Amino acid sequence: MIVIAGGGTGGHTSPGLAVAALLREHGIACAWIGSHTGLEARRAWAWQNVPDVLVNTPAGVVAAWRLLRQLRPRAVFATGGFVALPVAIAARLAGVPLIVHEQTSVPGLANRIAARLATRVVVTFADSARLFGGADVALTGNPLRPELRRGERQDAIARFQLDPTLPLVYVTGGAQGAHAINRAVGEILEPLLAQAQVIHQCGDNAATGDHAWLTARRSALPPALAARYTLIAWVGNELAGIYAAAALVVGRAGAGTVNECCQLGVPALYIPLPGTRGDEQTANARLVGRAQGCSILAQPGMTPALLLERIHSLLADPAGLKEMGERARTLAVPDAAERLVTVLLDVAR
């Protein structure tokens, strides 16, 4: 058995999903240790899911240690974030080999701590290896959930009643939504929808009230334009079709979104979340930007009018968008899941 630890966000959950699917193909059982409130707790696992480890307290380490003693795994695969940290510490205490995966170009605090305990560290980008000091580091890339590669444009057209003659803009702020992006898009709905159709994944944050506000904005649109605007709080299996149909993604530059767009060759306008430790989202976006695989708009200087101008400019050049997507694809490692499983099995032996 292999234990996968992590979650909280799609960036930390998706790599684990991809690896678990491939491990099961090899006939190797998996258990997932995560949190009650993260994205991992909302998924229906086909393997054992144990989302009851407390984070940010010593009790989390104790709970994880007890689970590892019970499950007796051959290795622990930590996908990052503070959800995984108690499990990483417990793995070291229990003498279980630990593999830590870094999805972003700049490691966060949790992974910098976990890496000191790891048997091996695996990274998405070659430049990240130097940030882990003397650790045993391997370049594997960041895996993509296999179902996302099977997306069909027609699926999204049928599900969301899209107009196949209009470009589709997919707006996403990640599982929690992005308040600044939500409000800016809401302010420009009418002129944006005059030239495109939009699927907007906005989260459902009660503190910001964005979902209700955007619903009201949609209700005020002329019926013909309102029909071009799909508002959803969270995206599930339909994401594969959305990516296949999207002419442009507008969203944050978290590890999950960036990896998905690069793997699938989807052009993106990234609006990195400011204030993250190490400014990791800006680093992610700039890495893709250096390959001319995306456009970047800094949130501090963003206005609704500027956002509209950038989207219209990108949509006006379909050939340029296609080239942008292909340049983004050059950064992806298509066999990342296979590489990770090879490392896992090697360490587990």
Side-chain angles (χ1 to χ4, degrees), residues 3-6 33 53 60-61 64 68 76 83-92 98:
V3 162
I4 300 172
I33 301 179
V53 171
V61 176
L68 294 180
V76 169
V83 174
L85 187 56
V87 190
I89 296 170
R92 178 64 177 263
L98 171 67

Side-chain angles (χ1 to χ4, degrees), residues 1 16 28 45 55 72 86 180 189-190 202 230 236 304:
M1 172 183 285
I28 299 171
W45 310 120
V55 295
R72 302 180 67 84
L189 280 180
E190 192 157 346
C202 68
T230 300

Side-chain angles (χ1 to χ4, degrees), residues 13-24:
T13 304
S14 292
L17 287 173
V19 167
L22 191 55
L23 284 171
R24 292 187 67 219

Side-chain angles (χ1 to χ4, degrees), residues 220-241:
L221 291 169
L225 293 185
R228 297 180 179 180
Y229 183 58
T230 300
L231 182 67
I232 43 181
W234 187 74
V235 177
N237 293 335
E238 62 270 32
L239 181 59

Side-chain angles (χ1 to χ4, degrees), residues 80-82 85 88 98 100-102 104-118 121 128 130-135 276-280:
F82 280 97
L85 187 56
L98 171 67
V100 172
H101 184 222
E102 178 54 57
T104 70
S105 54
V106 179
L109 178 60
N111 264 4
R112 293 205 304 275
I113 296 172
R116 297 174 179 270
L117 313 174
V121 176
S128 302
R130 61 182 174 78
L131 303 176
F132 286 101
T276 55
R277 188 177 184 90
D279 203 11
E280 68 176 44

Side-chain angles (χ1 to χ4, degrees), residues 108-165:
L109 178 60
N111 264 4
R112 293 205 304 275
I113 296 172
R116 297 174 179 270
L117 313 174
T119 308
R120 192 167 299 169
V121 176
V122 287
V123 296
T124 298
F125 305 110
D127 288 351
S128 302
R130 61 182 174 78
L131 303 176
F132 286 101
D136 182 0
V137 181
L139 173 66
T140 61
N142 195 0
L144 184 75
R145 285 181 286 148
E147 62 268 25
L148 291 183
R149 294 197 190 277
R150 298 191 288 267
E152 296 287 343
R153 180 172 181 266
Q154 191 56 43
D155 290 345
I157 290 173
R159 182 189 291 265
F160 298 108
Q161 299 182 321
L162 301 176
D163 181 344
T165 67

